[in-house]
Amino acid sequence: MVVLSEGAAEFVVFVVLVAALVGFLVGHWRYDLVALLALLTLTLVGIVPAGQAFGGFGHPAVVTVAAVLILSRGLMHSGAVGAIAGGILRIGNRPLVHLAGVTVLVAFLSAFMNNVGALALLMPVAVRLARQAGAPPSMFLMPLAFGSLLGGMTTLIGTPPNIIIATFRADVAGRPFGMFDFTPVGAGVALAGIAFVVLVGWRLIPQRKGQVAANEFHVRDYVAELRVPEGSNMTGHSVGDLESIDELEVDVLEIVRGGRRIPTPRRTEPLQSGDVLVVRADSNDLEGLLHRAQLELAESKPVGEAGQPSSDPMELMEAVVMPRSKLEGATARSLNLRWRYGVNLLAVARQGAEVRQRLKSLRLRAGDVMLLQGTADGLAGVVADLGCLPLAQRGVRFGPRRMLLSVAVFGGAIAAAATGLLPVQVAVVAGAAAFVLLGIVKLQEAYDSIDWSVIVLLATMIPVGQALEATGGAERIAGWILGAAEQMPGPVTLVIVLVGTMFLSDLVNNAAAAVLMAPIAIRTAQGIGASADPFLMAVAVGASCAFLTPIGHQSNTLVMGPGGYRFGDYWRMGLPLEGIIVAVGIPLVLWVWPL
């Protein structure tokens, strides 16, 4: 293991951090792998002691984040949110009232559960409201995503950066921030932000139609019915052989054989003379298929509103690829969607435009909207198993008693943490365990609900952040900030910290931004002889303000496809929103947490 001098160690930490930030931004490797490589590098050169390299996995912040994700899954299952959201649908027919209702509701939910989970629950409601009002979904979805970020500022468990900042505060003041210590500043900022989004902000977004209705997908040109005649060269060959004919993009959606239907047939299913094949192909591929496979045209027609022949008994469902979905980065071919799940991928929309390349080889991304075809009974389960979000309102899973029990368990965990009866990490883990024991969340669902990429990111970045402080790097950056604010009032330094954290959060994961900026904020406060509390609170607010890009937070990524947004659309509403947050947040921080 290499032993470095103090100056060399500081230089290496800076180089590793810059490389990590570039890695986060480029996105060639996922952010958890980038963070792990940064930690391993600092460990191999001796800056992070080998015995402490993976101590972050037992850090209270990491444990708390994992437990909160399980609690969020329990609330999603309880049906309580669906019952509340249903009330919004019944409030008149004015789009602005509906927009205000869903934005306020998602902000409230995000204060107590995972931001992405709250957004996922209300996205189908927002899409339905847009359709009812005849408005484009872009009017609702970006405000909904921004509302989820604003709401997360208001409590300790609302967002991972708050949990991280609380633990840094414990190192400085001997006591972490409590459950509602973030509320005075966070609630004020959230209310100002929501008011702007609902009254003005949505008007700044390009009103694009998006790709959120099955009848808006032009699924190639034809769904056709072809007959396998006597003497066809495909008789005895499999469905896979037919679909693999060179240079043709053809999908066999169904086989009708002697009055019996075989929906989503396996690739190994042999073809027989007299079979009627329901296939999807464009006009050129259809003509080539008829000639090369020696098939007959039984019946064909352009795809209509349903996207399938009227005789097809199966249903269509639109679903969004969620972050961490099994589909993210995969192709329909690599996952064998038809063979393993019994569904057909008919079309994909990305950023509001239908993808025209070969679907079998298309690598799916988070935020893509898929048009899936399958049996009515199987689609919902398949979409859930794939980790996708159906763009249709889902029913309540539990009855009223289980719903009340779920809310009671969650409320008990929050109360225990807020009153100091239990440390927050113990309270939320106890609540998560109760959800499992009561059957509200299955044990496997509990593990599946944890975003392990965020857990690895946090656990590896915490030692990296400690290395930044231990080598003097945090103090050096704080010195640059103090130099820039020299001869200026103390609040100007606070503004620099807040804006700097905002900028970083727009480019990298907000948890990583909080881990890196917290030690710098503490050193900056010590440099001017001020309390660390206002500077840590500024970092907490700034880390939740990823409003300028779709890559700053998963919520922004998730609405990009359904809303038809482009990369440059986010700053139109996000930039003035961040200005409002600075204007409102700094006075609130100074009032509640004076220098």
Side-chain angles (χ1 to χ4, degrees):
M1 189 173 292
V2 182
V3 178
L4 300 175
S5 65
E6 184 175 336
E10 182 183 341
F11 175 76
V12 170
V13 169
F14 275 126
V15 171
V16 169
L17 280 178
V18 170
L21 292 175
V22 171
F24 290 147
L25 184 59
V26 172
H28 179 70
W29 290 329
R30 208 169 66 179
Y31 52 74
D32 50 338
L33 178 58
V34 173
L36 179 61
L37 292 175
L39 174 60
L40 288 175
T41 302
L42 294 181
T43 303
L44 292 174
V45 299
I47 296 175
V48 175
Q52 302 173 15
F54 301 108
F57 284 93
H59 195 278
V62 176
V63 175
T64 303
V65 169
V68 168
L69 291 171
I70 298 174
L71 289 176
S72 297
R73 175 65 67 90
L75 285 181
M76 292 172 70
H77 283 183
S78 71
V81 177
I84 297 172
I88 297 177
L89 295 170
R90 295 189 291 270
I91 302 176
N93 57 3
R94 298 180 61 186
L96 273 183
V97 174
H98 289 159
L99 177 62
V102 293
T103 307
V104 170
L105 180 56
V106 78
F108 175 77
L109 294 175
S110 296
F112 300 101
M113 63 185 293
N114 176 255
N115 311 76
V116 177
L119 178 66
L121 282 170
L122 290 178
M123 267 184 67
V125 177
V127 169
R128 182 175 173 184
L129 289 171
R131 290 176 179 172
Q132 285 181 353
S138 57
M139 173 182 174
F140 284 83
L141 293 182
M142 192 185 294
L144 194 70
F146 284 9
S148 72
L149 301 186
L150 290 166
M153 301 180 187
T154 56
T155 69
L156 172 64
I157 64 171
T159 184
N162 287 5
I163 299 171
I164 295 166
I165 294 301
T167 61
F168 274 98
R169 204 261 189 159
D171 296 336
V172 176
R175 186 180 70 85
F177 286 123
M179 178 65 68
F180 296 108
D181 284 346
F182 295 88
T183 305
V185 174
V189 169
L191 288 173
I194 291 171
F196 167 76
V197 167
V198 172
L199 297 177
V200 179
W202 67 270
R203 304 175 194 273
L204 305 177
I205 309 168
Q207 300 298 294
R208 297 198 175 93
K209 192 174 184 180
Q211 197 75 49
V212 296
N215 60 2
E216 293 168 2
F217 278 104
H218 304 290
V219 187
R220 294 296 180 180
D221 295 325
Y222 284 91
V223 171
E225 294 184 3
L226 308 180
R227 182 179 293 107
V228 182
E230 292 285 347
S232 169
N233 60 13
M234 293 307 300
T235 302
H237 286 266
S238 67
V239 169
D241 293 335
L242 179 67
E243 294 180 336
S244 300
I245 295 177
D246 292 341
E247 300 179 0
L248 298 183
E249 171 122 10
V250 177
D251 290 311
V252 179
L253 307 180
E254 185 178 35
I255 298 176
V256 181
R257 179 177 296 158
R260 180 172 64 93
R261 293 183 178 277
I262 306 175
T264 58
R266 296 186 177 186
R267 289 177 58 82
T268 55
E269 179 70 32
L271 300 176
Q272 301 177 11
S273 296
D275 282 351
V276 175
L277 313 180
V278 180
V279 303
R280 184 205 64 177
D282 67 17
S283 56
N284 292 329
D285 287 342
L286 184 60
E287 183 178 352
L289 181 65
L290 289 168
H291 175 70
R292 297 171 64 177
Q294 297 179 354
L295 302 179
E296 297 177 349
L297 189 62
E299 178 184 353
S300 67
K301 57 184 177 181
V303 174
E305 291 188 358
Q308 55 187 339
S310 59
S311 60
D312 193 338
M314 296 194 293
E315 292 188 356
L316 297 178
M317 177 179 286
E318 305 132 353
V320 183
V321 178
M322 293 273 284
R324 298 188 303 114
S325 163
K326 294 178 183 178
L327 294 176
E328 189 177 9
T331 65
R333 174 179 291 167
S334 66
L335 286 170
N336 293 318
L337 282 178
R338 182 188 304 169
W339 180 72
R340 294 177 60 187
Y341 298 99
V343 299
N344 292 307
L345 176 62
L346 298 184
V348 174
R350 179 171 292 166
Q351 298 183 30
E354 187 182 343
V355 175
R356 293 291 181 178
Q357 72 185 78
R358 295 177 68 93
L359 294 179
K360 294 177 183 177
S361 57
L362 174 69
R363 291 202 173 275
L364 296 167
R365 304 175 187 169
D368 284 350
V369 183
M370 304 178 298
L371 183 63
L372 299 172
Q373 180 194 46
T375 60
D377 294 335
L379 269 176
V382 168
V383 168
D385 186 52
L386 291 172
C388 299
L389 172 66
L391 287 178
Q393 198 170 10
R394 290 164 286 180
V396 176
R397 175 173 171 174
F398 295 141
R401 290 185 179 179
R402 299 296 294 277
M403 186 189 305
L404 293 175
L405 181 61
S406 302
V407 174
V409 169
F410 181 81
I414 298 301
T419 59
L421 182 63
L422 292 173
V424 64
Q425 64 269 23
V426 176
V428 293
V429 168
F435 272 1
V436 173
L437 293 174
L438 293 170
I440 296 169
V441 176
K442 296 178 181 178
L443 184 59
Q444 187 58 49
E445 288 179 326
Y447 284 109
D448 291 343
S449 66
I450 297 174
D451 188 341
W452 293 105
S453 61
V454 171
I455 297 301
V456 172
L457 172 72
L458 281 177
T460 51
M461 286 303 295
I462 285 172
V464 172
Q466 292 169 344
L468 178 66
E469 185 172 11
T471 59
E475 186 173 0
R476 183 176 297 276
I477 296 174
W480 295 339
I481 294 174
L482 293 173
E486 193 175 6
Q487 309 300 328
M488 297 287 184
V492 174
T493 310
L494 197 63
V495 171
I496 294 175
V497 171
L498 174 57
V499 173
T501 308
M502 280 181 168
F503 175 75
L504 190 59
S505 186
D506 281 315
L507 302 178
V508 304
N509 182 278
N510 58 0
V515 169
L516 294 176
M517 288 300 298
I520 296 171
I522 291 171
R523 290 294 187 180
T524 302
Q526 292 171 344
I528 63 173
S531 168
D533 287 347
F535 287 87
L536 288 174
M537 197 60 62
V539 172
V541 171
S544 293
C545 293
F547 299 122
L548 300 186
T549 69
I551 63 174
H553 196 277
Q554 292 178 343
S555 291
N556 292 352
T557 304
L558 189 56
V559 301
M560 191 173 186
Y565 303 120
R566 298 172 185 166
F567 194 97
D569 290 343
Y570 287 79
W571 69 269
R572 297 172 183 269
M573 182 167 68
L575 187 60
L577 176 58
E578 290 195 358
I580 289 171
I581 289 172
V582 173
V584 173
I586 292 296
L588 280 175
V589 168
L590 292 172
W591 178 51
V592 180
W593 305 96
L595 294 172

